[in-house]
Amino acid sequence: MDELAGRLTALDPDAGAAVRAIAYFDRLAEARAGLEALVRGAAVLAGCPARLIDTARRVRIRVEPDGKRRDTDGSPDPSWLSQELAPDTSAALWLERTGPPSVVEAVILERASGILRQILDRTRGRAPLSPSDDPALLETVLDPAAPVEARMHAARALGLTSGDPTVRVRTLAVPGGEPRLLPVHHGERPKEADLPAGRVGIGPAVPVLDLPQSWAAARTALRFTAEGTAGDPGERVMYADDLGDILLLADLVRSGTGPPRDARALDAALNDAPWMLATLGAVATTQSRRAAAAKLNIHHSTLQTRLAHAEGLLGWPVHTLTGHLRLQLALLTRRLARGENHSVQP
């Protein structure tokens, strides 16, 4: 390749530089270079800042032509040279330069963007599919009553059947019921940056034909989630894989039917003091009272006083093993009793 580039340079300097750019990015791909290395290569070869933006995966990388990374939250100028990583996506490689692209710049954008797409798919998976991809296809692939052929056709149309035997798909349930699908390798868990904001229930990683079961598990896992705030303490993201037999509680406490007795006692106690929910939530999710006090940023003696008051309202001790478990179950069943709609319909 280098010899060919040398010969072409003698005839056409731009053509020679373009061949060298192709060889450069091919070497980076063979070495399994990361995203930043690819963007740095684009910036150095183009002689201007380059940036990679993938809104769905929350990736923003900007590198100056001197090779130094200097990220910015600013939006790219629409007049800059750019190349989408895939059609109809928010992911693109930008060169901070206007005007018609030179031969070299066109090659840089084309070659680098193709490799960047492969790296993102390999390391971060596809961005979650949402109903905007195709509501009918998503509904079909999640419908256990749909024929196998119809579900497989929908999965192929959504790009879920890559032929890679290591690829599985996780379902994501969010408040409001819109289903999302996330292909992963070897059943891996997505990074937090790849998840939707707010509460998320995540189903098991399964083959495409098992997606209806994963979707049912994701919707159940969502019922166990909390906002993660002082007003609603608890885990914002919940994996059905982690719940095990705790999922059986969801069958016992139906959404919108009212909380069980201990959850009602908990609600009554919560109305007594503004600190009650955060305090009991910290006690339920830590291994010791000292850890709970540290989490609340209060003195251990203050926590003792609060718990004595809380136990009088609840009607059971929370410091014993049984009482601690009872508190945890009351918090869980209180969440499960919330009325929420998680229909498969987008």
Side-chain angles (χ1 to χ4, degrees):
M1 184 70 77
D2 289 336
E3 182 180 352
L4 174 60
R7 292 179 180 178
L8 286 174
T9 299
L11 299 173
D12 185 337
D14 285 343
V19 171
R20 286 195 176 89
I22 292 172
Y24 176 81
F25 286 115
D26 285 351
R27 285 194 295 270
L28 288 179
E30 290 172 4
R32 296 177 73 86
L35 299 174
E36 185 174 335
L38 267 293
V39 179
R40 178 174 293 107
V44 172
L45 290 177
C48 66
R51 63 173 74 187
L52 168 65
I53 299 177
D54 187 339
T55 304
R57 295 183 176 98
R58 302 182 186 179
V59 174
R60 299 183 72 91
I61 299 174
R62 182 180 180 276
V63 180
E64 298 279 0
D66 61 5
K68 294 182 180 179
R69 179 169 176 173
R70 294 188 179 91
D71 293 343
T72 176
D73 292 332
S75 300
D77 186 327
S79 66
W80 287 344
L81 302 177
S82 66
Q83 175 70 48
E84 288 185 342
L85 269 60
D88 301 321
T89 68
S90 61
L93 175 65
W94 297 79
L95 298 179
E96 297 182 11
R97 177 176 292 163
T98 60
S102 67
V103 173
V104 176
E105 289 166 343
V107 167
I108 290 172
L109 288 170
E110 190 276 332
R111 205 69 167 187
S113 62
I115 300 171
L116 286 167
R117 180 176 64 252
Q118 294 174 7
I119 296 173
L120 284 167
D121 288 346
R122 183 179 73 242
T123 61
R124 300 197 176 208
R126 261 199 68 173
L129 295 172
S130 67
S132 61
D133 287 278
D134 191 321
L137 292 175
L138 279 172
E139 182 179 347
T140 299
V141 83
L142 296 174
D143 183 1
V148 170
E149 296 80 4
R151 281 192 278 146
M152 286 302 299
H153 173 76
R156 285 191 293 269
L158 289 169
L160 300 175
T161 55
S162 64
D164 185 343
T166 68
V167 172
R168 294 291 184 267
V169 184
R170 287 190 182 275
T171 55
L172 279 60
V174 298
E178 293 184 350
R180 305 189 184 198
L181 308 180
L182 183 63
V184 295
H185 288 275
H186 301 288
E188 66 188 358
R189 297 190 173 193
K191 298 179 180 179
E192 186 174 355
D194 297 328
L195 297 176
R199 294 166 46 220
V200 186
I202 303 179
V206 297
V208 292
L209 288 179
D210 292 334
L211 281 172
Q213 294 91 324
S214 179
W215 172 234
R219 287 180 289 154
T220 302
L222 177 63
R223 294 178 60 198
F224 285 89
T225 62
E227 294 293 344
T229 62
D232 189 15
E235 296 293 326
R236 182 181 61 82
V237 177
M238 188 67 69
Y239 284 83
D241 301 343
D242 294 338
L243 289 168
D245 287 346
I246 297 176
L247 285 170
L248 297 175
L249 279 175
D251 293 330
L252 299 175
V253 183
R254 293 296 178 183
S255 175
T257 59
R261 182 184 61 185
D262 282 356
R264 293 197 302 271
L266 180 61
D267 273 330
L270 298 182
N271 292 327
D272 182 78
W275 48 259
M276 189 69 71
L277 182 57
T279 299
L280 293 178
V283 170
T285 56
T286 53
Q287 297 297 317
S288 67
R289 292 195 178 189
R290 292 197 179 277
K295 184 175 183 179
L296 293 166
N297 197 27
I298 61 175
H299 194 272
H300 182 253
S301 62
T302 301
L303 178 64
Q304 295 279 49
T305 302
R306 288 185 179 184
L307 288 184
H309 181 67
E311 288 175 340
L313 295 171
L314 290 173
W316 75 82
V318 299
H319 63 277
T320 65
L321 183 61
T322 301
H324 191 258
L325 176 60
R326 195 170 169 181
L327 174 61
Q328 291 175 317
L329 290 174
L331 288 165
L332 287 177
T333 55
R334 179 174 178 267
R335 290 180 207 150
L336 290 172
R338 291 182 300 203
E340 292 185 318
N341 175 29
H342 306 306
S343 141
V344 174
Q345 294 287 343

